[in-house]
Structures are given as structure tokens and as C-alpha cells.
Amino acid sequence: MKILLTNDDGYFAAGLRTMYDALAADHQHEIYVVAPEGQRSAVGRSITLFQPIFVTHHSLPDNHIGVSVNGTPTDCVKLAIQGDILPAKPDLIISGINHGPNLGSDVFYSGTVAAAMEGALLGIRSIAVSLANYDYEDYMPSALLIKRLIDTNSPLLQYQSGLLNINVPPCDREEWKGKRVTRLGRSVYDNAFENRKSPYGREYYWITGTLVFEEEQDTDLRAIQEGYVSVTPLHCDLTDYERLKTMGDLL
């Protein structure tokens, strides 16, 4: 299988490196790594239009291909699929492993999910995978979970018209309660904007926020809170079909 790895934490991020190491260990797959050269979290589906996109090629073992890009995660996938920098079109895109959760309505901001969404839009099976904690840093259980899906040719990977958003609880695999297929929850934050001044006197703000958990049981937020791996199918069509049925009568 030809597998494209990308992320929004940057080419040298530990999560992406662990995912690469897990997949490359048995020499069964042709692996391409195309990722931002630095941190590009929370850029959503932004793309670069008004400046050049520079790339740097990195040597990887076993003739795998590594490219860092001074653009966004979506730029990386577009360039990988449509920019002729790879020898072949990948069969699967894995975005991650992200450092921190991508749950609920946060997926609209996420560069990790955006990269997988671009893959889905281009007709390639895509997964976004996140380790749902900023302090826990053992990415290998998450990587082995994805590797097992690939090695067993899981039916989950036959999802062609959208993507899978997978969040993994921050603990050893033996401590997971199991896996749940979930819907997106609603990420509600108690946001604060701290007002500061730079050393040169210019005013700026620093945004912080605390996530307020919801009570609904079938969401990705609840699954992670209770120690389950959350698997959420997403698609690219944002149309509100319920309203679509009735809006024609309002025109």
C-alpha cells in the first residue's frame, strides 16, 4: 500500500515520526511524508495563494519519500496529490498523530482534520488521528491502532466518500475501555482574552479557554472522557438537508 503521512504539528513532530516508524518497521508499505515545515495547528482549511510554497526534500530509509512544505496542511495534501512531487498517488492518507484532541466542533479549526478532508475531497481514503491530551506523549499505542486497521484491511478503511476522525485516550492500550463509533459533540469553551503589551508598546491579546464537557452520551467528547477510542465518520457536504426540504416554500 502507498501511504501518505501528513499533519499540522510539523514535519519533525513526534506523533508523525512515531506513525512513520510503526508503518515502516515491517517494510510492507511505500511511505510518503509531506508535512508542514513547522507548527501549523488550528489553521483549518486555509491554503497559500499569495506567496510561493517552498519545499525541502529529506532522505528517508528504504527509498521512502520525505518533503517538508512551508505551507498549510491542506497545501501539503494538494501538493502531494496534484503537484507531481510523488511517484504515485497514495492509496491512503493518515493525518497525525496530532498532539492534542480534535473533538467536537473543534474539527472546523483543525489543520489535522483539514488535511484528511482534502484527501477525501480528492477521492482518497483518509484518516485523521489524534492523541487526545497535550501532556501525555506516548504515541505508539495510537500508531499501532492505525497500523492494525491497515494490516487487517479493516472495513473502516473502505470509507471512500469522507474521512474517519479518530481520537485516542491518553493511556496505555491495556487501559482503553474499548472503541466507540461516535458523532461530533459540541465543543464549548469558556474563553478568555488576555490583554498585553509588547516591549515596544503595541497592544495584543492572548486567547485561552477551558473546555466545558457536555452530557450527551453518544459523542466523541464523551467517549474520550470515559476512556474510549472515538471513531467519527465525517463527510465533506455541509448542506443542511432538513432545512433544504422546507426552504423552497419560503422563497
Side-chain angles (χ1 to χ4, degrees), residues 99-212:
H99 180 209
N102 279 301
L103 297 164
S105 45
D106 282 355
V107 302
F108 291 102
Y109 307 108
S110 167
T112 302
V113 175
M117 184 67 76
E118 187 62 29
L121 285 168
L122 294 173
I124 300 172
R125 292 175 293 164
S126 299
I127 304 171
V129 56
S130 303
L131 179 55
N133 187 277
Y134 290 106
D135 298 319
Y136 188 83
E137 296 186 350
D138 184 1
Y139 295 94
M140 189 55 74
S142 303
L144 293 178
L145 168 67
I146 302 303
K147 184 178 186 299
R148 178 168 175 77
L149 292 178
I150 295 170
D151 290 347
T152 60
N153 196 27
S154 169
L156 289 173
L157 299 185
Q158 311 314 312
Y159 194 70
Q160 199 82 36
S161 61
L163 66 119
L164 292 180
N165 185 41
I166 299 176
N167 282 268
V168 182
C171 55
D172 293 339
R173 186 170 185 146
E174 294 75 19
E175 299 177 51
W176 296 351
K177 298 292 182 60
K179 306 179 188 69
R180 284 182 183 169
V181 177
T182 59
R183 65 179 177 87
L184 287 180
R186 184 167 176 264
S187 306
V188 180
Y189 287 88
D190 182 12
N191 284 324
F193 295 85
E194 185 176 340
N195 180 261
R196 300 181 184 180
K197 283 192 175 180
S198 74
Y200 297 100
R202 188 173 182 184
E203 184 179 26
Y204 68 97
Y205 287 84
W206 199 274
I207 184 172
T208 61
T210 302
L211 179 63
V212 180

Side-chain angles (χ1 to χ4, degrees), residues 1-76:
M1 182 180 288
K2 299 176 179 63
I3 301 174
L4 171 63
L5 302 182
T6 189
N7 69 354
D8 70 359
D9 291 326
Y11 184 89
F12 297 101
L16 186 148
R17 185 58 51 180
T18 303
M19 190 73 254
Y20 171 83
D21 289 343
L23 293 175
D26 54 14
H27 308 282
Q28 291 187 6
H29 308 292
E30 188 173 340
I31 302 172
Y32 313 135
V33 182
V34 182
E37 63 183 12
Q39 175 60 255
R40 299 305 300 267
S41 293
V43 299
R45 290 201 26 81
S46 62
I47 59 175
T48 302
L49 293 178
F50 300 110
Q51 61 189 51
I53 301 174
F54 293 97
V55 302
T56 302
H57 294 269
H58 303 268
S59 59
L60 293 174
D62 300 321
N63 295 317
H64 298 313
I65 293 174
V67 181
S68 60
V69 180
N70 76 327
T72 68
T74 300
D75 286 334
C76 291

